Amino acid sequence: MEKLDRTATTPGPDSSFTGEVLMEAIRGPRDGSRAAMNHVHFTPGARTHWHWHPVGQTLYGTGGVGLVVTRSGEVLTLEPGRTVWIPPREEHWHGALDTSLMSHLAVQEADEDDETVIWLEPVSDEEFDRANEVARTS
């Protein structure tokens, strides 16, 4: 057994996020394990860009209220204690509601090429506003 060093909290890069996002990398793939895990914190309105994961992703809400949105338009809320599974290669984004902070644990596996995520374009303000409206009325 090995105790892993605590990693620093770092800002989410503008190439992958819109708004203020802080990330704590808990672990990356290593020593035969393909699992990667991050604790991600979003300020109100902050969100990922569109992206997908070769082997899928599990999100576990740890604070506040957020959104998980697919290209097909499905909108789920993510709250503390709720788990959302995104299947392999499903294009999606996630982030905080426009009125709430949100934090989640993100777990994904690397594929045979050591890829855990493929980043795409930013989520437009219109896409973000639509998802917030759906979440407010559901």
Side-chain angles (χ1 to χ4, degrees), residues 12 14 85 88:
D14 293 342
W85 162 247

Side-chain angles (χ1 to χ4, degrees), residues 75-88:
V75 177
L76 299 175
T77 56
L78 185 62
E79 301 162 350
R82 181 174 226 186
T83 301
V84 174
W85 162 247
I86 300 108

Side-chain angles (χ1 to χ4, degrees), residues 40-61:
V40 189
H41 310 273
F42 299 82
T43 58
R47 56 204 182 257
T48 68
H49 289 188
W50 285 102
H51 63 286
W52 55 273
H53 302 274
V55 190
Q57 181 180 50
T58 300
L59 300 176
Y60 177 79

Side-chain angles (χ1 to χ4, degrees), residues 29 33-34 52 54-55 89 109-118:
S33 172
R34 293 184 173 193
W52 55 273
V55 190
R89 304 185 69 83
E109 291 181 65
D111 66 7
E112 59 279 351
D113 297 320
D114 290 328
E115 295 288 343
T116 58
V117 60
I118 306 301

Side-chain angles (χ1 to χ4, degrees), residues 21-24 38-44 46 59-67 78-82 94-97 100-106:
V21 176
L22 297 173
M23 298 175 40
E24 299 166 295
N38 297 288
H39 197 190
V40 189
H41 310 273
F42 299 82
T43 58
L59 300 176
Y60 177 79
T62 60
V65 181
L67 302 165
L78 185 62
E79 301 162 350
R82 181 174 226 186
H94 33 100
L97 288 173
S100 177
L101 297 168
M102 189 272 285
S103 297
H104 65 52
L105 290 173

